[in-house]
Amino acid sequence: MDATRALTPDDLPPGALTRRGGADSRHTGGADSWRTDGADSRLTGGADSRPEAAAERRDAAVRAAVAQGLVGPDTPVAALLDVAGIRQSAAALRSAFAEVTTAPVLHAFAVKASPLVPVLRLLRKAGIGAEVASPGELALARAAGLKPAHTVLDSPAKTLAELRQALALGIAVNADNPQELARLDSLARSAPTRSAIGLRVNPQIGAGSIGALSTATATSKFGVGLRDSGAREWVVRAFLDRPWLTRLHTHSGSQGVPLGLLAEGVRVTYELAEEINQLAGRRQVDTIDIGGGLPVNFDSDVENPTYAMYARLLQREVPGLFDGRYALVTEFGRSLLAKHGTIVARVEYTKAAGNRRIAITHAGAQVAARTVYAPGSWPLRIAAYDDQGRPKTGPEIPQDVAGPACFAGDLLAENRPLPLLEPGDHAAALDTGAYYFSHHYAYNSLARPGIHGFSTGRDGTVRFATVRAPQTIDEVVAESGGEHTRALDAL
Ligand SMILES: *Cc1c(COP(=O)(O)O)cnc(C)c1O
């Protein structure tokens, strides 16, 4: 069939999963079904896409956040999200793939990178779906209005209840392993579904520079390792035995994995799809999910690599993937959001110890656990602002930018040349829009900061909207067993 034929999920009758197969094998979702709520006229935010423009918007937002009291003596840390920047990245992603293929492409944002309902809704309106990996993430996507046809469930540990729910909703599911596939066998027998079902494979092509984020190593916990003895034959047989298994999924890693290695993982997966389809004698694998993983440049405001670079590389390395025979799913996370977030923290005190200048701020491990615990892998740019939120000038002096937590390693930056920070100034951690709002670290019972989306007008005015309210101290107490104060008395 024509892979580009428009097909809405509603075209698929209940039972499509069990009835799919044979010559009328079809996509669950084609070009039109994956086109979300219509092109938002503000898709690109009408904003300037130069890196300098992003920096100007950020400076204006920090200034306004201080002026409007979003950050101040009583709210000493807050996070800001550049809405125009997010819209630009979404538009850049869509156009990068539209340039290289006419096949339907679902861009499913990896929710773990920014588990915030208003952000998921913003992305949805910009034509981006959701990749979810837990009941919580699925609930966030649904709260943001994501349709099942625009949602993909991955996760190595899906429970029977999660699988049942996904199939009932018609959400695409990528099975991680043979045991999960066996569960899907019995679910598929007992209840018809319109979900597209895929299998995650691990091309075992090796690691990038950050071991913890490299998912395509020989011993990775994800997917079916294709190079293990007998595994490839098992995968092929698994497809031939299950006419409803129509997708292959791979995700070779995140930050630290070079583009060439990502493309290699996609190529291995594509070749497997070709092999399966040849043996099946039909287009059984109709969709390839290439995962996410585009690395982000944390050194400057320049976006490098870009989606366009990656899409062109893929087209060169795996041309068959783009000739229209396969629908595509992507699952980018970090690269869509990282550049658009800023954590602004007030400098509470400054001091010197052992000849080292130290600025003690309110941003540390609670907002930047990865940077604090693995600074070599996750260095962040820090920008200095004065007490009014204006960029601070003056000679750069090496100083530590410390957080509020009670352990010595709680540093956002060590020995970093910056204009000398003083009490009442602000230190901003840049490029923190992805993942930094996902793993709040509750050490010292430090509250989660508020997150504020912003847009800037041509006249320089900045408007804010609350994305996530700052956590209150009462909430900290409540989630720390506050309702069970006497629970241990009786034991
Ligand atoms: C984390 C993850 C992603 C997103 O990775 P990024 O590096 O944020 O783009 C995509 N797919 C899967 C399966 C993941 O686990």
Side-chain angles (χ1 to χ4, degrees):
M1 68 169 269
D2 175 5
T4 60
R5 188 176 79 83
L7 193 79
T8 71
D10 295 331
D11 290 341
L12 289 178
L17 169 68
T18 43
R19 302 205 290 98
R20 247 186 292 153
D24 88 9
S25 157
R26 54 176 96 194
H27 294 302
T28 299
D32 281 0
S33 69
W34 287 356
R35 204 161 284 144
T36 39
D37 299 8
D40 188 321
S41 57
R42 295 166 306 167
L43 201 58
T44 60
D48 190 337
S49 61
R50 289 171 310 124
E52 305 79 44
E56 280 162 21
R57 291 198 300 273
R58 180 173 63 227
D59 286 349
V62 171
R63 178 98 197 258
V66 173
Q68 298 181 28
L70 295 179
V71 58
D74 300 327
T75 315
V77 57
L80 310 178
L81 271 179
D82 178 0
V83 169
I86 296 171
R87 286 199 182 106
Q88 277 172 7
S89 287
L93 171 59
R94 291 180 58 184
S95 67
F97 280 80
E99 296 265 309
V100 296
T101 186
T102 54
V105 185
L106 170 67
H107 297 291
F109 172 66
V111 170
K112 68 176 188 274
S114 182
L116 299 165
V117 175
V119 170
L120 301 181
R121 181 180 156 90
L122 176 71
L123 289 172
R124 169 172 75 75
K125 292 176 122 193
I128 306 289
E131 185 262 356
V132 301
S134 72
E137 289 181 0
L138 174 55
L140 299 187
R142 296 182 75 195
L146 268 297
K147 291 180 186 156
H150 303 153
T151 307
V152 179
L153 174 65
D154 298 329
S155 135
K158 304 174 201 81
T159 63
L160 203 50
E162 285 171 65
L163 288 171
R164 206 174 271 132
Q165 181 194 25
L167 297 192
L169 291 169
I171 286 166
V173 175
N174 288 315
D176 179 82
N177 58 64
Q179 292 172 2
E180 187 184 340
L181 205 52
R183 282 187 178 176
L184 288 167
D185 281 338
S186 58
L187 289 172
R189 266 194 300 275
S190 61
T193 176
R194 62 176 56 168
S195 292
I197 311 287
L199 179 68
R200 178 165 181 173
V201 294
N202 170 7
Q204 290 172 314
I205 47 172
S209 63
I210 304 175
L213 269 65
S214 297
T215 46
T217 58
T219 57
S220 162
K221 72 172 182 179
F222 293 107
V224 178
L226 289 179
R227 289 186 181 172
D228 288 356
S229 154
R232 191 179 181 95
E233 296 71 20
W234 180 87
V235 170
V236 171
R237 178 46 47 203
F239 274 80
L240 296 180
D241 288 347
R242 293 171 182 79
W244 43 265
L245 200 51
T246 56
R247 293 184 172 191
L248 277 171
H249 172 222
T250 195
H251 169 68
S252 294
S254 294
Q255 190 69 14
V257 179
L259 288 196
L261 203 58
L262 291 176
E264 173 67 5
V266 173
R267 189 182 59 75
V268 169
T269 308
Y270 164 78
E271 283 168 0
L272 177 61
E274 292 283 280
E275 182 181 334
I276 291 167
N277 287 350
Q278 197 152 39
L279 289 167
R282 66 191 181 91
R283 194 92 46 74
Q284 177 172 348
V285 177
D286 59 19
T287 302
I288 298 183
D289 182 335
I290 65 169
L294 192 78
V296 166
N297 164 33
F298 284 92
D299 291 340
S300 76
D301 285 314
V302 176
E303 294 197 19
N304 180 31
T306 61
Y307 290 121
M309 288 162 67
Y310 184 40
R312 284 196 292 265
L313 176 73
L314 284 173
Q315 190 194 33
R316 198 166 65 232
E317 299 292 318
V318 201
L321 187 58
F322 297 96
D323 63 14
R325 289 175 300 138
Y326 293 98
L328 296 177
V329 177
T330 74
E331 304 173 341
F332 296 100
R334 180 175 291 104
S335 50
L336 271 165
L337 261 295
K339 288 270 169 232
H340 312 309
T342 304
I343 296 171
V344 187
R346 201 170 144 89
V347 177
E348 196 67 50
Y349 300 107
T350 58
K351 65 205 289 188
N355 280 334
R356 177 71 57 83
R357 303 248 188 196
I358 305 166
I360 298 176
T361 80
H362 287 273
Q366 92 275 30
V367 290
R370 279 186 177 163
T371 296
V372 166
Y373 284 107
S377 295
W378 301 104
L380 285 175
R381 290 187 292 152
I382 305 289
Y385 294 93
D386 69 12
D387 59 347
Q388 311 285 307
R390 293 171 302 207
K392 188 141 190 176
T393 52
E396 298 202 328
I397 295 163
Q399 48 201 303
D400 286 0
V401 181
C406 296
F407 67 100
D410 189 36
L411 303 171
L412 280 194
E414 230 178 315
N415 220 7
R416 182 73 58 89
L418 287 171
L420 188 63
L421 288 164
E422 295 164 293
D425 285 349
H426 299 87
L430 311 187
D431 308 321
T432 47
Y435 293 98
Y436 284 88
F437 310 147
S438 313
H439 33 61
H440 177 77
Y441 185 62
Y443 193 83
N444 277 146
S445 301
L446 289 160
R448 278 189 295 273
I451 301 172
H452 309 276
F454 69 84
S455 67
T456 51
R458 280 181 217 295
D459 57 354
T461 54
V462 180
R463 290 190 304 139
F464 290 105
T466 304
V467 170
R468 186 182 74 190
Q471 191 180 30
T472 65
I473 296 303
D474 284 348
E475 286 165 348
V476 171
V477 173
E479 76 169 33
S480 305
E483 280 146 30
H484 309 285
T485 306
R486 297 173 200 285
L488 303 180
D489 292 2
L491 297 185

